[in-house]
């Protein structure tokens, strides 16, 4: 890997964002209808390599059920409004009407209400009753406190997600979550992240996780780069973590850990390039915030936006473009990659000559910076 001299005392790797690479077609093309984009993690199979990001602006119990029926997996945020309030709809309506900087202050106030274990159980049961795979998210800081309510309610997939999650968190104030022990003691598959480097990913894979999230989440709505100065471009991050997956398979005697790209999946082209770099699936937020059914009513924000001490996200207005089904399966009425996301992925794979996701991970890519 090429090292670039930043100054006499510091070198750095050249890293690439998704919009700086391109997919190269092969000598063969296929009919898009003959391409499979099915994905399986543990015992759960999905028609789409799509995990919907645990954000209140995108996932409610109702939209989680609808995404499941459409072939994907939606993750409900158990630290969001749905586990703090019996009926959060009036608050969601209020957030959509806030102006400017007042939105961040009001989000901090709204999310200051306590999380209720009884609501955790009720929301999970609501999704389960619809017959779709149920996935929920907690941060590492709250996992120990609330995980029993999650397991008792019968969740299918447990997501432990933060801006950056490590297997070696050090704290002098409280006993940190022991990921390896925690995952070992659970009977459900666990997805953990985010991470953005080979070493961090390898350590997370060694905890027994079924999947690892690559990236810092939030995408269009987070300001982590501005506030913390932390950023790793996604094309490089995904490729590095895919390499860790390969090496962990050798180390573990064949155990496969799924790589899920989380953040920066703004268009159908981003989704295709993330999988081309080695992702098994993508975690998507902002494209689905544009759905008419989205709880955010055309606005989008993540858990980083309501941090009580250091917000690292903001509420973003996207408006609406169509239903969840139209955004995922079409038909599209726009040419910007914001609709028919899964149809576009099939067409990309068909154009490049690949019949399934595993094959498509081997496609050739080139460095192709966007033209101004």
């Amino acid at each position: 890997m090429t090292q670039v001299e930043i100054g006499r005392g510091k070198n750095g790797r050249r890293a690439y964002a998704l919009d700086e690479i391109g997919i190269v077609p092969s000598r063969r093309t296929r009919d898009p209808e003959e391409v499979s984009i099915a994905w399986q993690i543990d015992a759960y199979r999905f028609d789409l390599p799509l995990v919907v990001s645990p954000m209140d602006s995108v996932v409610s119990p109702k939209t989680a059920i609808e995404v499941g029926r459409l072939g994907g997996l939606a993750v409900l945020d158990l630290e969001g409004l749905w586990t703090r309030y019996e009926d959060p709809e009036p608050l969601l309506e209020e957030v959509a009407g806030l102006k400017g900087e007042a939105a961040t202050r009001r989000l901090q106030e709204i999310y200051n209400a306590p999380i209720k274990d009884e609501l955790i159980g009720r929301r999970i049961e609501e999704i389960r009753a619809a017959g779709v795979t149920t996935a929920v998210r907690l941060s590492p800081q709250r996992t120990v406190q609330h995980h029993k309510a999650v397991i008792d309610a019968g969740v299918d997939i447990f997501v432990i997600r933060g801006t950056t999650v490590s297997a070696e968190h050090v704290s002098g104030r409280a006993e940190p979550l022991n990921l390896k022990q925690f995952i070992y003691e659970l009977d459900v598959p666990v997805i953990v992240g985010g991470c953005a480097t080979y070493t961090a990913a390898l350590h997370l894979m060694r905890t027994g996780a079924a999947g690892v999230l690559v990236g810092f989440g939030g995408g269009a709505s987070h300001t982590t780069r501005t506030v913390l100065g932390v950023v790793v471009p996604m094309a490089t991050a995904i490729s590095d973590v895919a390499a860790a997956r390969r090496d962990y398979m050798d180390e573990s005697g064949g155990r496969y850990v799924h790589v899920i790209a989380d953040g920066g999946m703004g268009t159908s082209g981003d989704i295709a390039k993330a999988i081309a770099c080695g992702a098994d699936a993508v975690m998507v937020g902002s494209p689905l915030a544009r759905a008419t059914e989205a709880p955010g009513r055309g606005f989008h924000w993540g858990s980083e936006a309501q941090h009580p001490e250091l917000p690292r996200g903001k509420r973003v207005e996207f408006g609406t473009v169509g239903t969840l089904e139209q955004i995922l399966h079409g038909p599209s009425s726009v040419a910007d990659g914001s609709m028919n996301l899964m149809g576009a992925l099939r067409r990309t794979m068909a154009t490049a000559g690949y019949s399934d996701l595993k094959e498509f991970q081997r496609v050739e890519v080139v460095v192709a910076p966007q033209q101004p």
Side-chain angles (χ1 to χ4, degrees):
M1 178 63 68
T2 303
Q3 291 283 325
V4 177
E5 183 182 289
I6 297 169
R8 294 194 178 206
K10 182 70 70 173
N11 290 340
R13 293 172 61 199
R14 174 65 168 97
Y16 296 93
L18 291 172
D19 61 7
E20 293 181 282
I21 68 166
I23 294 168
V24 180
S26 67
R27 62 181 177 84
R28 180 187 294 113
T29 57
R30 295 181 182 275
D31 189 319
E33 298 304 316
E34 297 177 1
V35 170
S36 171
I37 57 173
W39 173 61
Q40 180 162 335
I41 181 168
D42 204 82
Y44 302 99
R45 186 181 186 278
F46 304 95
D47 293 334
L48 312 177
L50 174 88
V51 183
V52 183
S53 189
M55 295 176 164
D56 280 342
S57 56
V58 182
V59 180
S60 65
K62 183 177 179 180
T63 57
I65 292 167
E66 180 63 15
V67 168
R69 289 173 175 163
L70 291 170
L73 174 69
V75 182
L76 183 69
D77 184 8
L78 295 185
E79 298 177 28
L81 299 179
W82 294 95
T83 57
R84 298 175 191 262
Y85 298 93
E86 290 277 348
D87 179 15
E89 290 292 351
L91 293 171
L92 290 164
E93 184 74 38
E94 179 189 348
V95 170
L98 294 173
K99 304 296 183 183
E101 292 302 317
T104 297
R105 290 193 296 272
R106 183 59 179 140
L107 284 172
Q108 290 173 316
E109 295 169 356
I110 291 171
Y111 282 89
N112 194 42
I115 298 167
K116 303 178 178 68
D117 280 354
E118 61 269 24
L119 286 178
I120 288 177
R122 195 184 308 171
R123 303 310 185 197
I124 292 173
E125 289 165 8
E126 184 179 344
I127 300 170
R128 280 180 58 83
V132 301
T133 303
T134 306
V136 298
R137 171 262 179 186
L138 284 171
S139 65
Q141 295 83 358
R142 295 186 188 267
T143 294
V144 172
Q145 180 182 357
H146 297 292
H147 79 276
K148 189 176 186 302
V150 174
I151 300 303
D152 289 349
V155 75
D156 296 313
I157 298 175
F158 198 153
V159 179
I160 301 174
R161 179 180 185 257
T163 302
T164 302
V165 176
S166 76
E168 298 182 6
H169 180 67
V170 177
S171 175
R173 295 182 299 173
E175 184 68 24
L177 174 66
N178 185 324
L179 273 175
K180 189 169 186 176
Q181 180 181 345
F182 179 80
I183 292 172
Y184 177 79
E185 293 175 351
L186 290 184
D187 291 328
V188 300
V190 178
I191 297 171
V192 298
C195 68
T197 67
Y198 171 95
T199 301
L202 192 58
H203 283 213
L204 288 178
M205 291 172 185
R206 289 169 177 161
T207 66
V212 170
L213 299 172
V214 185
F216 303 119
S221 66
H222 83 63
T223 58
T224 302
R225 179 172 187 164
T226 303
V227 177
L228 300 183
V230 174
V231 60
V232 180
M234 282 296 286
T236 296
I238 296 167
S239 301
D240 283 351
V241 175
R245 175 187 60 203
R246 177 199 62 214
D247 292 348
Y248 178 69
M249 282 186 68
D250 292 339
E251 172 187 306
S252 63
R255 184 173 181 272
Y256 190 90
V257 179
H258 292 82
V259 173
I260 303 167
D262 178 13
M265 303 295 118
T267 67
S268 53
D270 294 329
I271 293 171
K273 287 187 279 189
I275 295 173
C277 286
D280 297 289
V282 296
M283 182 169 272
V284 171
S286 59
L288 300 186
R290 297 178 171 94
T292 53
E293 306 98 318
R297 296 157 171 79
F299 288 85
H300 185 47
W301 66 92
S303 58
E304 303 89 357
Q306 44 86 8
H307 193 282
E309 298 168 359
L310 189 66
R312 300 180 303 280
K314 57 186 177 181
R315 188 200 58 162
V316 181
E317 183 176 7
F318 285 131
T320 57
V321 295
T323 65
L324 279 170
E325 184 168 8
Q326 289 172 326
I327 291 171
L328 292 178
H329 295 300
S332 173
S333 58
V334 294
D336 60 3
S338 64
M339 298 183 72
N340 198 2
L341 303 179
M342 297 296 105
L345 175 60
R346 284 191 180 91
R347 189 165 293 275
T348 301
M349 292 170 61
T351 300
Y354 293 89
S355 61
D356 60 46
L357 296 172
K358 286 293 177 199
E359 285 189 356
F360 186 56
Q361 289 174 343
R362 300 195 298 266
V363 70
E364 181 184 353
V365 299
V366 294
V367 177
Q370 281 193 332
Q371 299 299 313

